[in-house]
Every structure is written in C-alpha cells, then in structure tokens.
C-alpha cells in the first residue's frame, strides 16, 4: 500500500536553519536517518530562512537550485529535514517531478523496515495511515473531481472520498486487532506484577547503546547495530542477579527529537512497558557532544507517555571512547543517580548489577521459616510471590523453607495470616530457623 524508497535510491537531503530553536533539526542526525532508510545520499543542500515559505518551504529560488541538481544527477528522491505540510509536499513534487519525503515520512519508513512482530507492524501501519490520510491528493489529480458527461456520471462520491472511507475502515480494523494484542500484553504485565518480579525498562536516545547493554546483561542476541532505530519491537528477558534475585529487563525503541506524534500514539501500548516499569535506566551516549539535548528529548517523550514519574537512573555509556573509569555517582541523600560504564567492553557492569541489587533488595529479609502442615496456605502464598528459595520437609511434616522476601511483603503476609511479627523477625536479621506458630 505504501511506496518506500528502494535500497540505494539516489537522494538529495535538504536542511534549513530556522531562527526558532524549537523547530531546528540536527543535520548529522538527518544524514544518519537517510542512511538508515537505505538512501544513497548524492548531495546535501542547506539554506537559512527566518520562516518557511508557505508554498515551497525553502523558497522558489532554492527550489530551482535543487531542480537543477535533480536533473544533473538523476535524483530519485528529495528528503527534507523538516515537517512539510501536504500542500508544500505536493507543490515540491510537482516542481521536482520526483518523490519528496519529509522528516516524519522518513522516520515512518525506517520504522516500517524495522518492525518484526505482528504488533509492531500493525502499529507502524496505523501511524502510516494517519500520516497518509492528510496526503491523499498527492500525485492523484484524478481524485480531485467528479467524472462527468453522458455515461460517466458517478454515484455522487468522489474517488478521494472513497479512498478516505476505505482508509478509515482499515484504521478501524487495525485498532481492533491492536486491542486484542494489548489485552494479551496486559495479561503478561499482570502476571509479572502478581509474581512480584521487578521490571526495569531501558530508555534513551536512539543509538545510545541500549540493545548492546541489554545483550551484555541478559546474554541475549537482540539486533544491535550502529544505526538509528536498530531496535523497534520491545524485548523482555529475565536477568538473574545473585542469590536467586532476578528482574525483568525491557529493551524499548529509541527516542529522537521531534518524534512524530502519530508514532507516539501508535506505540503507546508498547511504551507502557516503560510507563509501568519499577525503574528506568536512561542510557546516554557519554561521548556524544549533544548528550544534554538528547537527555531533554528523551525526558520530553517520557513526559508525553506519562512515564516521567517513574524512578530513573542515568547510565553514561561508551566510556571506552572517553577513557573514563567506571564509577557510581550519588545524590546528597545517598541515592544513586548516575553510573558510568561501557556496554561494549563490559566495564562497569558489575557496578550496575550491584546497584540493582541494592535498589530492589536493600530491605530484604533472608532466612529460614518453619511452617506446620496446617499453614500450607502461607506456604502457597510465599510460592506465589517467588519468595521460596528451597524447601525441606522434616519427620513431623513441617515445611522448612529458605525464604528471600521484601520486608514490606513479609509484614503484609504476617498481618493477613495472624503470624506474630516477633516470630518472623528475630533480631538480628540473619539467616535463622524461624517457627511460625
């Protein structure tokens, strides 16, 4: 349904510097986007304007200059590092006689190439349909008028209206399918919450090294390359830390400045892995000169999806490029705020794992618990929350359990089952044989 630039398609990149800081884009990042989409960049045209031209965005003079380059270099595609209005895109295509794609369309194309799962493909198609719905006239001049004349009078609906109706129907179908997939994903989240397994989401600017760190920690083989949006579909893996302690790690799509709103909306269900995580690890390319701007861009997307209140630890990655030693930074209150490491070499990963253990289990109770056969309900509840490390049964039929459980969970259990707290919490809190009578 959608035309996509072929691999190696000859392209010209157009970048315009605007006075408005909020509308400025990064040229180097734009080049990486074009390369990630598979375009062969022939030339880059830059210009500066106070504000965009309403008809051609870059003005007629600069547009004529680009037209000469197109004719001289057999250009197939012109990519703009900005969001074009449907009329501007249509006017430029009419002048250039070749395809014109803006920044939003380019990002959508990359997402379409990267999607692997059924849900990811549906989400990309939904975002493409929303984007296309405002551009149906482009290149389809026969859709703008009714057919007339004897024997040619239509039923009263233009082809444009027909296409819009079909587009709406397809979007409804996709939303129904996504609703089913979201229910399945929600069931998985509820199962993890019931099992009391902490979830950690990796977030960060695209190409900051999230997938590389994810692979190093979980010994997985998630696709990781030095390119923008290498990872699109979320991946969840269990990470074993020590003494039976484990967490669920979620690798998510990388963020970018001015991420198209339609994409954020379409991927909202996927991004819920971030919103409902217990902790965010914000991966930052420490060697990137624009890292502060990238941090602001990520925080902006997190706020948009409602994940700005989730606790966050910054991971300063790629320290091997800076020749910096691994270290942990803390706030005045003693909370860990930043960890310096290298996902490529593995330097500092031991610091990260220890920080995770301290974060989730610093108030952990480890010890032995002796339950009578009549207290099998307590035993079942402990198993439900994965608190039992090992179990033996003595000659009297008592259950001898080795438990590892958060203090708050043990207190709640003791309250519900009327078990005296002084029985469950002998002092000092060391592994010991505890009789719950």
């Amino acid at each position: 349904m959608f035309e996509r630039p072929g691999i190696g398609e000859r392209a010209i990149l157009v970048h315009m510097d605007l006075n408005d800081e909020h509308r400025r884009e990064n040229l180097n990042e734009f080049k990486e986007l074009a390369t990630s989409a598979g375009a062969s960049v022939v030339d880059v045209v830059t210009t500066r304007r106070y504000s965009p031209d309403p008809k051609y965005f870059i003005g007629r003079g600069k547009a004529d200059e680009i037209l000469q380059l197109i004719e001289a270099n057999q250009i197939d595609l012109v990519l703009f590092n900005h969001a074009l209005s449907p009329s501007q895109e249509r006017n430029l295509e009419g002048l250039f006689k070749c395809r014109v794609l803006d920044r939003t369309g380019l990002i959508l194309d990359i997402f379409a190439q990267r999607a692997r799962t059924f849900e990811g493909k549906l989400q990309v198609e939904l975002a493409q349909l929303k984007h296309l719905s405002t551009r149906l006239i482009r290149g389809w001049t026969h859709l703008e008028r009714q057919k007339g004349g004897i024997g040619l009078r239509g039923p009263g609906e233009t082809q444009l209206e027909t296409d819009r109706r079909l587009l709406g129907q397809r979007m409804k179908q996709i939303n129904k399918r996504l609703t089913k997939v979201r229910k399945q994903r929600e069931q998985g989240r509820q199962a993890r919450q019931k099992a009391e397994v902490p979830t950690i989401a990796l977030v960060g600017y695209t190409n900051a090294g999230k997938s590389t760190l994810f692979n190093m920690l979980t010994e997985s083989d998630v696709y990781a390359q030095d390119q923008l949006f290498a990872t699109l579909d979320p991946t969840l893996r269990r990470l074993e830390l020590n003494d039976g302690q484990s967490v669920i790690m979620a690798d998510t799509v990388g963020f970018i400045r001015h991420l198209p709103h339609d994409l954020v909306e379409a991927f909202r269900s996927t991004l819920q892995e971030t919103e409902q995580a217990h902790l965010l690890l914000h991966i930052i390319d420490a060697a990137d000169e624009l890292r502060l701007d990238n941090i602001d861009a990520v925080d902006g997307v997190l706020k948009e999806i409602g994940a700005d209140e989730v606790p966050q630890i910054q991971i300063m990655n790629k320290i091997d490029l800076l020749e910096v030693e691994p270290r942990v930074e803390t706030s005045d209150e003693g909370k860990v705020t930043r960890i310096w490491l290298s996902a490529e070499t593995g330097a500092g990963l031991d610091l990260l794992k220890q920080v995770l253990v301290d974060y989730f289990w610093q108030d952990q109770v480890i010890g032995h618990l002796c339950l009578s056969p009549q207290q099998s309900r307590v035993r079942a509840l402990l198993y439900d929350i994965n608190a039992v490390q090992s179990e033996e049964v003595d000659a009297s039929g008592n259950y001898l359990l080795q438990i590892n459980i958060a203090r708050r969970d043990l207190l709640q259990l003791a309250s519900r089952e009327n078990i005296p707290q002084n029985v469950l919490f002998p002092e000092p809190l060391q592994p010991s044989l505890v009789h719950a009578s």
Side-chain angles (χ1 to χ4, degrees):
M1 183 175 186
F2 303 99
E3 298 178 8
R4 251 194 346 226
I7 299 300
E9 190 167 5
R10 295 171 64 81
I12 286 179
L13 308 186
V14 181
H15 173 81
M16 185 165 71
D17 284 327
L18 296 167
N19 286 349
D20 186 357
E21 283 189 16
H22 297 290
R23 299 185 64 180
R24 286 181 186 171
E25 303 291 357
N26 183 276
L27 180 56
N28 291 330
E29 181 180 270
F30 183 45
K31 293 177 181 177
E32 290 187 46
L33 282 171
T35 303
S36 297
S40 176
V41 179
V42 176
D43 204 345
V44 178
V45 177
T46 60
T47 184
R48 182 185 295 272
R49 286 180 66 94
Y50 180 79
S51 62
D53 177 64
K55 185 173 183 180
Y56 291 112
F57 189 81
I58 51 176
R60 182 58 190 258
K62 186 60 70 171
D64 288 337
E65 179 184 327
I66 296 173
L67 178 59
Q68 294 177 7
L69 291 173
I70 292 172
E71 295 172 345
N73 296 281
Q74 297 181 329
I75 298 301
D76 306 305
L77 176 69
V78 179
L79 299 172
F80 279 74
N81 191 21
H82 311 274
L84 300 176
S85 69
S87 61
Q88 288 171 336
E89 200 169 298
R90 187 168 62 252
N91 293 336
L92 288 167
E93 283 193 340
L95 179 64
F96 295 158
K97 299 297 187 294
C98 71
R99 292 188 66 245
V100 174
L101 207 61
D102 66 357
R103 179 183 173 88
T104 300
L106 180 60
I107 294 175
L108 285 170
D109 179 85
I110 296 173
F111 271 58
Q113 295 182 50
R114 297 285 190 270
R116 294 292 180 267
T117 65
F118 178 67
E119 182 184 12
K121 291 176 181 178
L122 286 177
Q123 289 170 327
V124 171
E125 185 179 355
L126 181 61
Q128 285 180 316
L129 288 170
K130 288 182 178 179
H131 185 66
L132 182 66
S133 63
T134 62
R135 287 163 164 75
L136 278 179
I137 295 177
R138 186 188 70 184
W140 295 80
T141 55
H142 68 283
L143 303 186
E144 299 179 40
R145 58 183 179 272
Q146 285 263 34
K147 289 185 178 181
I150 297 174
L152 295 176
R153 292 187 179 91
E157 181 179 50
T158 65
Q159 185 63 48
L160 179 60
E161 290 169 341
T162 302
D163 280 12
R164 281 178 176 160
R165 176 169 51 80
L166 294 174
L167 210 65
Q169 291 175 353
R170 177 58 181 165
M171 290 169 67
K172 287 181 180 178
Q173 291 175 353
I174 293 176
N175 278 318
K176 285 182 180 179
R177 292 184 181 180
L178 281 174
T179 299
K180 293 181 180 179
V181 177
R182 287 164 183 165
K183 287 181 179 178
Q184 295 173 352
R185 186 179 290 278
E186 185 61 31
Q187 289 174 353
R189 291 195 192 99
Q190 290 175 357
R192 293 196 300 272
Q193 291 172 357
K194 183 178 180 180
E196 296 290 337
V197 180
T199 301
I200 301 172
L202 303 184
V203 300
Y205 208 76
T206 184
N207 206 27
K210 296 184 303 301
S211 295
T212 302
L213 178 61
F214 182 84
N215 287 338
M216 287 290 288
L217 287 172
T218 63
E219 299 181 358
S220 302
D221 56 354
V222 172
Y223 181 69
Q225 289 293 330
D226 185 16
Q227 59 184 200
L228 302 186
F229 301 119
T231 300
L232 177 57
D233 299 301
T235 306
L236 279 70
R237 295 286 187 275
R238 182 180 290 268
L239 171 61
E240 301 291 341
L241 295 172
N242 56 32
D243 296 329
Q245 298 162 343
S246 62
V247 296
I248 298 296
M249 301 286 291
D251 186 21
T252 61
V253 61
F255 299 153
I256 196 171
R257 270 183 292 275
H258 302 157
L259 190 66
H261 182 72
D262 286 343
L263 272 180
V264 176
E265 282 298 314
F267 279 78
R268 185 167 294 278
S269 64
T270 301
L271 294 173
Q272 278 185 334
E273 297 293 351
T274 301
E275 180 187 353
Q276 298 184 8
H278 296 87
L279 176 67
L280 301 183
L281 295 184
H282 183 169
I283 316 303
I284 301 164
D285 183 352
D288 192 340
E289 295 179 353
L290 298 175
R291 59 183 177 275
L292 295 180
D293 292 335
N294 295 346
I295 291 172
D296 290 339
V298 172
D299 288 340
V301 177
L302 291 175
K303 185 175 182 179
E304 187 174 355
I305 64 176
D308 52 322
E309 298 297 328
V310 181
Q312 180 185 129
I313 295 177
Q314 292 185 349
I315 306 297
M316 304 301 290
N317 190 26
K318 304 185 182 182
I319 62 172
D320 51 303
L321 302 179
L322 301 174
E323 298 182 357
V324 174
E325 291 298 318
R327 68 178 187 273
V328 176
E329 295 182 9
T330 58
S331 65
D332 294 338
E333 294 79 21
K335 293 183 178 179
V336 175
T337 57
R338 184 175 292 178
I339 305 172
W340 295 73
L341 54 77
S342 170
E344 185 69 27
T345 65
L349 292 188
D350 54 335
L351 295 177
L352 172 58
K353 290 181 179 179
Q354 187 57 51
V355 167
L356 295 180
V357 171
D358 293 342
Y359 183 89
F360 288 107
W361 290 280
Q362 60 183 349
D363 201 15
Q364 201 76 359
V365 176
I366 301 175
H368 291 85
L369 185 63
C370 180
L371 298 176
S372 68
Q374 290 74 29
Q375 294 173 311
S376 58
R377 171 180 166 78
V378 178
R379 171 179 170 273
L381 291 172
L382 289 169
Y383 270 103
D384 283 344
I385 59 176
N386 288 338
V388 180
Q389 304 298 304
S390 64
E391 178 187 47
E392 295 180 2
V393 181
D394 64 15
S396 302
N398 295 318
Y399 302 108
L400 305 179
L401 306 178
Q402 171 72 28
I403 61 171
N404 187 335
I405 185 174
R407 180 192 290 266
R408 66 179 185 278
D409 294 334
L410 197 53
L411 279 170
Q412 291 175 356
L413 182 63
S415 175
R416 288 201 310 265
E417 302 304 319
N418 296 318
I419 302 174
Q421 292 184 18
N422 61 345
V423 172
L424 286 176
F425 295 98
E427 295 294 341
L429 280 176
Q430 298 294 333
S432 58
L433 185 62
V434 180
H435 289 272
S437 56

